[in-house]
Coordinates of all heavy atoms in Angstrom, one line a residue:
L151 N 2.2 91.6 192.6 CA 1.3 92.6 192.1 C -0.2 92.2 192.4 O -1.1 92.9 191.9 CB 1.5 93.0 190.6 CG 2.8 93.6 190.3 CD1 3.1 93.8 188.8 CD2 2.8 95.2 190.9
L152 N -0.4 91.1 193.0 CA -1.7 90.5 193.1 C -2.7 91.3 193.9 O -3.9 90.9 194.0 CB -1.6 89.0 193.5 CG -1.1 87.9 192.7 CD1 -1.1 86.6 193.2 CD2 -1.9 88.0 191.3
S153 N -2.1 92.3 194.7 CA -3.1 93.1 195.4 C -4.1 93.8 194.6 O -5.2 94.2 195.0 CB -2.4 94.1 196.3 OG -1.7 95.2 195.4
G154 N -3.8 94.0 193.3 CA -4.8 94.6 192.5 C -4.6 96.1 192.5 O -5.4 96.9 191.8
D155 N -3.7 96.7 193.2 CA -3.4 98.2 193.2 C -2.9 98.8 192.1 O -3.1 100.0 191.7 CB -2.5 98.6 194.4 CG -3.3 98.2 195.8 OD1 -4.4 98.2 195.8 OD2 -2.4 98.0 196.8
D156 N -2.2 97.8 191.2 CA -1.6 98.4 190.0 C -1.9 97.4 188.9 O -1.1 96.7 188.5 CB -0.1 98.4 190.3 CG 0.5 99.2 189.1 OD1 0.1 99.5 188.1 OD2 1.9 99.3 189.2
P157 N -3.2 97.4 188.4 CA -3.6 96.4 187.4 C -2.7 96.6 186.0 O -2.6 95.5 185.4 CB -5.1 96.8 187.2 CG -5.3 98.1 187.7 CD -4.2 98.3 188.8
T158 N -2.3 97.8 185.7 CA -1.6 97.9 184.5 C -0.3 97.3 184.5 O -0.1 96.5 183.7 CB -1.3 99.3 184.2 OG1 -2.6 100.0 184.0 CG2 -0.6 99.5 183.0
S159 N 0.5 97.3 185.6 CA 1.7 96.7 185.8 C 1.5 95.1 185.8 O 2.3 94.3 185.2 CB 2.4 97.2 187.1 OG 2.9 98.4 186.9
L160 N 0.4 94.7 186.5 CA 0.1 93.3 186.6 C -0.2 92.7 185.2 O 0.4 91.6 184.8 CB -1.0 93.0 187.4 CG -1.6 91.7 187.7 CD1 -0.5 90.7 188.1 CD2 -2.7 91.5 188.6
S161 N -1.0 93.5 184.4 CA -1.3 93.0 183.0 C 0.0 93.0 182.1 O 0.1 92.0 181.5 CB -2.3 94.0 182.4 OG -2.7 93.7 181.1
L162 N 0.8 94.0 182.3 CA 2.1 93.9 181.6 C 3.0 92.7 182.0 O 3.7 92.1 181.1 CB 2.9 95.2 181.6 CG 2.1 96.4 181.0 CD1 3.0 97.6 181.1 CD2 1.9 96.1 179.4
A163 N 3.1 92.4 183.2 CA 3.7 91.2 183.7 C 3.2 89.9 183.2 O 4.0 89.0 182.7 CB 3.8 91.2 185.1
N164 N 1.8 89.9 183.1 CA 1.2 88.7 182.4 C 1.5 88.6 180.9 O 1.7 87.6 180.4 CB -0.3 88.8 182.7 CG -0.7 88.5 184.1 OD1 0.1 88.0 184.8 ND2 -1.9 88.9 184.4
R165 N 1.7 89.9 180.3 CA 1.9 89.7 178.8 C 3.4 89.2 178.8 O 3.5 88.4 177.8 CB 2.0 91.2 178.3 CG 2.1 91.4 176.8 CD 2.4 92.8 176.4 NE 2.5 92.9 175.1 CZ 3.5 92.6 174.2 NH1 4.6 92.0 174.9 NH2 3.6 92.8 173.0
R166 N 4.3 89.7 179.5 CA 5.6 89.1 179.4 C 5.6 87.7 179.7 O 6.4 86.8 179.1 CB 6.6 89.8 180.4 CG 6.8 91.2 179.9 CD 8.0 91.9 180.7 NE 7.5 92.1 182.1 CZ 6.9 93.2 182.5 NH1 6.6 94.2 181.7 NH2 6.6 93.3 183.9
F167 N 4.8 87.1 180.7 CA 4.8 85.8 180.9 C 4.2 84.9 179.7 O 4.9 83.9 179.3 CB 3.8 85.4 182.1 CG 3.5 84.0 182.3 CD1 4.4 83.2 183.1 CD2 2.3 83.4 181.8 CE1 4.2 82.0 183.3 CE2 2.1 82.0 182.1 CZ 3.1 81.3 182.8
H168 N 3.3 85.4 179.1 CA 2.7 84.7 177.9 C 3.7 84.7 176.8 O 3.9 83.8 176.0 CB 1.4 85.3 177.6 CG 0.2 84.8 178.3 ND1 -0.4 83.6 178.1 CD2 -0.4 85.3 179.3 CE1 -1.5 83.5 178.9 NE2 -1.4 84.6 179.7
R169 N 4.3 85.8 176.6 CA 5.4 85.9 175.4 C 6.4 85.1 175.6 O 6.9 84.5 174.6 CB 5.8 87.5 175.2 CG 6.5 87.6 173.9 CD 7.1 88.9 173.7 NE 7.3 89.1 172.2 CZ 8.4 88.5 171.6 NH1 9.2 87.9 172.4 NH2 8.6 88.7 170.3
A170 N 7.0 85.0 176.9 CA 8.0 84.1 177.2 C 7.7 82.7 176.7 O 8.6 82.0 176.2 CB 8.5 84.1 178.6
L171 N 6.5 82.2 176.9 CA 6.0 80.9 176.6 C 5.8 80.6 175.2 O 6.0 79.5 174.7 CB 4.9 80.5 177.5 CG 5.1 80.4 178.9 CD1 3.8 79.9 179.7 CD2 6.3 79.6 179.3
Y172 N 5.2 81.5 174.4 CA 4.9 81.2 173.1 C 5.9 81.7 172.0 O 6.0 81.2 170.9 CB 3.5 81.9 172.6 CG 3.5 83.5 172.5 CD1 4.2 84.1 171.6 CD2 2.6 84.1 173.5 CE1 4.1 85.5 171.6 CE2 2.6 85.6 173.4 CZ 3.3 86.2 172.4 OH 3.2 87.5 172.4
S173 N 6.9 82.5 172.4 CA 7.9 83.1 171.4 C 9.0 82.0 171.1 O 9.7 82.1 170.1 CB 8.6 84.3 172.1 OG 9.3 84.1 173.2
G174 N 9.1 80.9 171.9 CA 10.0 80.0 171.4 C 9.5 78.8 170.5 O 10.1 77.7 170.4
C175 N 8.3 79.2 169.8 CA 7.6 78.1 168.9 C 8.3 77.9 167.7 O 7.9 77.0 166.8 CB 6.2 78.5 168.7 SG 5.8 80.0 167.8
D176 N 9.3 78.8 167.3 CA 10.0 78.7 166.0 C 9.2 79.0 164.8 O 9.4 78.5 163.8 CB 10.8 77.4 165.9 CG 11.7 77.2 166.9 OD1 12.5 78.0 167.3 OD2 12.1 76.0 167.3
N177 N 8.2 79.9 165.0 CA 7.4 80.4 164.0 C 7.2 81.9 164.1 O 6.4 82.3 164.9 CB 6.1 79.7 163.8 CG 5.3 80.1 162.6 OD1 5.1 81.1 162.2 ND2 4.7 78.9 162.1
E178 N 7.9 82.7 163.4 CA 8.0 84.0 163.6 C 6.6 84.8 163.2 O 6.3 85.8 163.7 CB 9.2 84.8 162.9 CG 9.1 84.8 161.4 CD 9.6 83.5 160.9 OE1 9.9 82.5 161.6 OE2 9.7 83.4 159.6
L179 N 5.9 84.2 162.2 CA 4.6 84.7 161.9 C 3.7 84.5 163.0 O 2.9 85.4 163.4 CB 4.1 83.9 160.6 CG 5.0 84.0 159.4 CD1 4.4 83.3 158.2 CD2 5.1 85.5 159.0
V180 N 3.6 83.3 163.6 CA 2.8 83.1 164.8 C 3.1 84.2 166.0 O 2.2 84.7 166.6 CB 2.8 81.8 165.3 CG1 2.0 81.5 166.5 CG2 2.1 80.8 164.1
T181 N 4.4 84.2 166.2 CA 4.9 85.1 167.3 C 4.5 86.5 167.1 O 4.0 87.2 168.0 CB 6.4 85.0 167.5 OG1 6.8 83.6 167.9 CG2 6.8 85.9 168.5
A182 N 4.6 87.2 165.8 CA 4.2 88.4 165.4 C 2.8 88.5 165.7 O 2.3 89.7 166.1 CB 4.7 88.9 164.0
Q183 N 1.9 87.6 165.2 CA 0.5 87.8 165.4 C 0.1 87.8 166.8 O -0.8 88.6 167.3 CB -0.2 86.6 164.7 CG -1.7 86.7 164.7 CD -2.3 87.8 163.9 OE1 -2.5 88.8 164.3 NE2 -2.4 87.6 162.6

Side-chain angles (χ1 to χ4, degrees):
L151 294 165
L152 286 179
S153 66
D155 294 336
D156 190 356
T158 298
S159 294
L160 176 55
S161 179
L162 291 178
N164 286 346
R165 183 193 187 284
R166 288 191 291 276
F167 172 82
H168 280 277
R169 192 180 196 284
L171 293 185
Y172 67 67
S173 61
C175 69
D176 292 325
N177 187 318
E178 67 278 6
L179 298 179
V180 170
T181 297
Q183 183 68 264

